[in-house]
Amino acid sequence: MGAAKANLRYITRDDAAEAGNVIARSNGAFLEGTTDDLKIAARSAIDKRAEKHNEAYGVRLADKMMVSLPNDATIEEQREICSNILTAFIADSEAFGIASIHTDKEGNKHAHFLYVDGLETREAAQARRPDAKRVRRAD
């Protein structure tokens, strides 16, 4: 849990990610609020995942990735790219994803992503096992 929260602090630090350049998604929607609100939501998702797996040793609480962004893209285009990536990974599931666009280094536009697993939608579970009478939603 400490490593996941440390990564969250690193990717959302004020000197790298300006206001408006942090985007979060869960349950099929983008989350509204300030950067601090989104950080609180991310910490809550990590805590919830840790509670669910408190007996298991070695369970990944969060996954991270970094994506290079086109240097000639505007900040609006960068936000759209990050929104599309979050949508592709999270879709309508109960998973949580946060993207942080870093603008602190000239000529090195990039974004950090942090994902916390969550249950898939009922529709996704049924599509995975269309012939089953009962389907459990998976992470």
Side-chain angles (χ1 to χ4, degrees):
M1 186 163 52
K5 287 184 178 180
N7 185 260
L8 176 66
R9 280 190 303 274
Y10 173 76
I11 70 172
T12 59
R13 67 190 192 278
D14 292 338
D15 65 330
E18 297 172 5
N21 290 345
V22 176
I23 307 162
R25 182 178 177 88
S26 185
N27 292 303
F30 287 98
L31 305 180
E32 299 292 325
T34 67
T35 299
D36 287 337
D37 294 336
L38 301 179
K39 290 180 191 181
I40 290 168
R43 284 192 294 273
S44 176
I46 293 167
D47 290 342
K48 181 178 175 184
R49 179 87 173 148
E51 281 178 22
K52 181 177 179 182
H53 296 286
N54 61 359
E55 299 295 323
Y57 178 76
V59 172
R60 276 192 333 258
L61 297 181
D63 287 304
K64 60 184 180 176
M65 73 178 194
M66 187 171 75
V67 175
S68 293
L69 297 170
N71 282 322
D72 59 347
T74 66
I75 193 63
E76 291 80 19
E77 291 169 333
Q78 293 172 38
R79 289 181 188 135
E80 182 178 353
I81 290 167
C82 291
S83 295
N84 290 340
I85 292 171
L86 283 172
T87 300
F89 273 81
I90 302 296
D92 294 337
S93 73
E94 293 176 10
F96 179 90
I98 190 167
S100 180
I101 302 168
H102 283 198
T103 57
D104 57 333
K105 296 179 182 168
E106 186 70 30
N108 183 22
K109 295 185 180 182
H110 63 282
H112 294 266
F113 292 80
L114 182 76
Y115 295 102
V116 180
D117 207 357
L119 291 176
E120 65 188 337
T121 62
R122 181 160 307 287
E123 293 79 20
Q126 289 170 336
R128 186 171 38 83
R129 304 258 332 262
D131 56 337
K133 292 183 180 166
R134 283 181 53 194
V135 179
R136 278 197 189 149
R137 294 169 62 202
D139 282 342

Short mmCIF file of all heavy atoms in Angstrom, two decimals, residues 14-38:
data_model
loop_
_atom_site.label_atom_id
_atom_site.label_comp_id
_atom_site.label_asym_id
_atom_site.label_seq_id
_atom_site.Cartn_x
_atom_site.Cartn_y
_atom_site.Cartn_z
N ASP A 14 2.66 18.78 -7.33
CA ASP A 14 2.31 20.09 -7.90
C ASP A 14 3.33 20.62 -8.89
O ASP A 14 2.96 21.31 -9.85
CB ASP A 14 2.11 21.12 -6.77
CG ASP A 14 0.88 20.81 -5.94
OD1 ASP A 14 -0.02 20.10 -6.43
OD2 ASP A 14 0.82 21.28 -4.79
N ASP A 15 4.62 20.34 -8.68
CA ASP A 15 5.64 20.91 -9.57
C ASP A 15 5.72 20.19 -10.92
O ASP A 15 6.39 20.66 -11.83
CB ASP A 15 7.01 20.93 -8.89
CG ASP A 15 7.56 19.54 -8.60
OD1 ASP A 15 6.77 18.61 -8.37
OD2 ASP A 15 8.80 19.40 -8.59
N ALA A 16 5.02 19.06 -11.09
CA ALA A 16 5.05 18.34 -12.36
C ALA A 16 3.70 18.38 -13.08
O ALA A 16 3.66 18.50 -14.29
CB ALA A 16 5.47 16.89 -12.13
N ALA A 17 2.62 18.26 -12.32
CA ALA A 17 1.28 18.22 -12.92
C ALA A 17 0.50 19.45 -12.50
O ALA A 17 0.12 19.59 -11.35
CB ALA A 17 0.56 16.95 -12.47
N GLU A 18 0.29 20.34 -13.45
CA GLU A 18 -0.44 21.57 -13.17
C GLU A 18 -1.93 21.27 -12.96
O GLU A 18 -2.43 20.23 -13.38
CB GLU A 18 -0.26 22.54 -14.33
CG GLU A 18 1.18 22.96 -14.56
CD GLU A 18 1.36 23.77 -15.83
OE1 GLU A 18 0.35 24.08 -16.50
OE2 GLU A 18 2.51 24.08 -16.15
N ALA A 19 -2.61 22.20 -12.34
CA ALA A 19 -4.06 22.05 -12.13
C ALA A 19 -4.76 21.82 -13.46
O ALA A 19 -4.44 22.45 -14.47
CB ALA A 19 -4.61 23.31 -11.44
N GLY A 20 -5.69 20.89 -13.47
CA GLY A 20 -6.42 20.54 -14.69
C GLY A 20 -5.78 19.44 -15.50
O GLY A 20 -6.37 18.94 -16.44
N ASN A 21 -4.55 19.06 -15.15
CA ASN A 21 -3.83 18.03 -15.89
C ASN A 21 -3.85 16.67 -15.19
O ASN A 21 -3.06 15.80 -15.52
CB ASN A 21 -2.40 18.45 -16.18
CG ASN A 21 -2.34 19.58 -17.18
OD1 ASN A 21 -3.32 19.87 -17.86
ND2 ASN A 21 -1.20 20.24 -17.28
N VAL A 22 -4.73 16.52 -14.22
CA VAL A 22 -4.94 15.24 -13.55
C VAL A 22 -6.38 14.82 -13.83
O VAL A 22 -7.32 15.58 -13.60
CB VAL A 22 -4.67 15.33 -12.03
CG1 VAL A 22 -4.97 14.02 -11.34
CG2 VAL A 22 -3.23 15.76 -11.77
N ILE A 23 -6.54 13.60 -14.37
CA ILE A 23 -7.83 13.10 -14.81
C ILE A 23 -8.05 11.74 -14.15
O ILE A 23 -7.12 10.94 -14.08
CB ILE A 23 -7.87 12.93 -16.34
CG1 ILE A 23 -7.45 14.22 -17.04
CG2 ILE A 23 -9.23 12.48 -16.83
CD1 ILE A 23 -7.04 14.02 -18.49
N ALA A 24 -9.26 11.47 -13.68
CA ALA A 24 -9.56 10.17 -13.07
C ALA A 24 -10.88 9.62 -13.60
O ALA A 24 -11.78 10.39 -13.98
CB ALA A 24 -9.62 10.30 -11.55
N ARG A 25 -10.97 8.29 -13.62
CA ARG A 25 -12.17 7.62 -14.13
C ARG A 25 -12.47 6.38 -13.30
O ARG A 25 -11.55 5.66 -12.91
CB ARG A 25 -11.97 7.22 -15.59
CG ARG A 25 -13.18 6.56 -16.22
CD ARG A 25 -12.92 6.22 -17.68
NE ARG A 25 -14.04 5.52 -18.27
CZ ARG A 25 -15.08 6.10 -18.86
NH1 ARG A 25 -15.13 7.41 -18.95
NH2 ARG A 25 -16.06 5.38 -19.36
N SER A 26 -13.74 6.14 -13.06
CA SER A 26 -14.20 4.92 -12.39
C SER A 26 -15.70 4.76 -12.64
O SER A 26 -16.40 5.76 -12.86
CB SER A 26 -13.93 4.99 -10.88
OG SER A 26 -14.26 3.77 -10.25
N ASN A 27 -16.17 3.54 -12.63
CA ASN A 27 -17.60 3.25 -12.81
C ASN A 27 -18.19 3.88 -14.06
O ASN A 27 -19.31 4.40 -14.04
CB ASN A 27 -18.40 3.67 -11.57
CG ASN A 27 -18.06 2.80 -10.38
OD1 ASN A 27 -18.19 1.59 -10.42
ND2 ASN A 27 -17.61 3.43 -9.31
N GLY A 28 -17.44 3.89 -15.13
CA GLY A 28 -17.94 4.38 -16.40
C GLY A 28 -18.02 5.88 -16.57
O GLY A 28 -18.64 6.36 -17.50
N ALA A 29 -17.39 6.63 -15.66
CA ALA A 29 -17.47 8.10 -15.75
C ALA A 29 -16.17 8.73 -15.29
O ALA A 29 -15.44 8.18 -14.47
CB ALA A 29 -18.62 8.61 -14.89
N PHE A 30 -15.91 9.91 -15.83
CA PHE A 30 -14.78 10.70 -15.35
C PHE A 30 -15.19 11.38 -14.06
O PHE A 30 -16.33 11.84 -13.92
CB PHE A 30 -14.33 11.72 -16.40
CG PHE A 30 -13.63 11.06 -17.56
CD1 PHE A 30 -14.33 10.78 -18.72
CD2 PHE A 30 -12.31 10.70 -17.46
CE1 PHE A 30 -13.70 10.15 -19.77
CE2 PHE A 30 -11.67 10.06 -18.50
CZ PHE A 30 -12.36 9.79 -19.67
N LEU A 31 -14.29 11.46 -13.11
CA LEU A 31 -14.58 12.07 -11.83
C LEU A 31 -14.37 13.57 -11.90
O LEU A 31 -13.42 14.04 -12.54
CB LEU A 31 -13.70 11.46 -10.74
CG LEU A 31 -13.77 9.94 -10.60
CD1 LEU A 31 -12.86 9.47 -9.49
CD2 LEU A 31 -15.19 9.48 -10.35
N GLU A 32 -15.23 14.30 -11.26
CA GLU A 32 -15.14 15.75 -11.21
C GLU A 32 -14.43 16.16 -9.93
O GLU A 32 -14.45 15.43 -8.94
CB GLU A 32 -16.55 16.37 -11.23
CG GLU A 32 -17.35 16.05 -12.47
CD GLU A 32 -16.80 16.70 -13.73
OE1 GLU A 32 -16.29 17.84 -13.64
OE2 GLU A 32 -16.88 16.08 -14.79
N GLY A 33 -13.85 17.34 -9.93
CA GLY A 33 -13.25 17.87 -8.72
C GLY A 33 -11.85 18.39 -8.96
O GLY A 33 -11.30 18.30 -10.06
N THR A 34 -11.29 18.93 -7.90
CA THR A 34 -9.93 19.46 -7.94
C THR A 34 -8.93 18.32 -7.95
O THR A 34 -9.28 17.16 -7.71
CB THR A 34 -9.67 20.36 -6.72
OG1 THR A 34 -9.68 19.52 -5.55
CG2 THR A 34 -10.71 21.46 -6.61
N THR A 35 -7.69 18.66 -8.19
CA THR A 35 -6.63 17.66 -8.12
C THR A 35 -6.61 17.00 -6.75
O THR A 35 -6.45 15.78 -6.64
CB THR A 35 -5.26 18.30 -8.43
OG1 THR A 35 -5.30 18.84 -9.77
CG2 THR A 35 -4.13 17.29 -8.33
N ASP A 36 -6.79 17.78 -5.69
CA ASP A 36 -6.83 17.21 -4.35
C ASP A 36 -7.99 16.24 -4.19
O ASP A 36 -7.83 15.18 -3.56
CB ASP A 36 -6.90 18.31 -3.28
CG ASP A 36 -5.59 19.06 -3.13
OD1 ASP A 36 -4.53 18.50 -3.49
OD2 ASP A 36 -5.61 20.21 -2.66
N ASP A 37 -9.15 16.55 -4.75
CA ASP A 37 -10.29 15.64 -4.70
C ASP A 37 -9.97 14.32 -5.40
O ASP A 37 -10.33 13.24 -4.91
CB ASP A 37 -11.52 16.26 -5.37
CG ASP A 37 -12.06 17.47 -4.64
OD1 ASP A 37 -11.82 17.59 -3.42
OD2 ASP A 37 -12.72 18.29 -5.31
N LEU A 38 -9.29 14.40 -6.54
CA LEU A 38 -8.94 13.19 -7.29
C LEU A 38 -7.89 12.37 -6.55
O LEU A 38 -7.93 11.13 -6.58
CB LEU A 38 -8.47 13.56 -8.69
CG LEU A 38 -9.50 14.33 -9.55
CD1 LEU A 38 -8.92 14.66 -10.91
CD2 LEU A 38 -10.80 13.57 -9.67
#
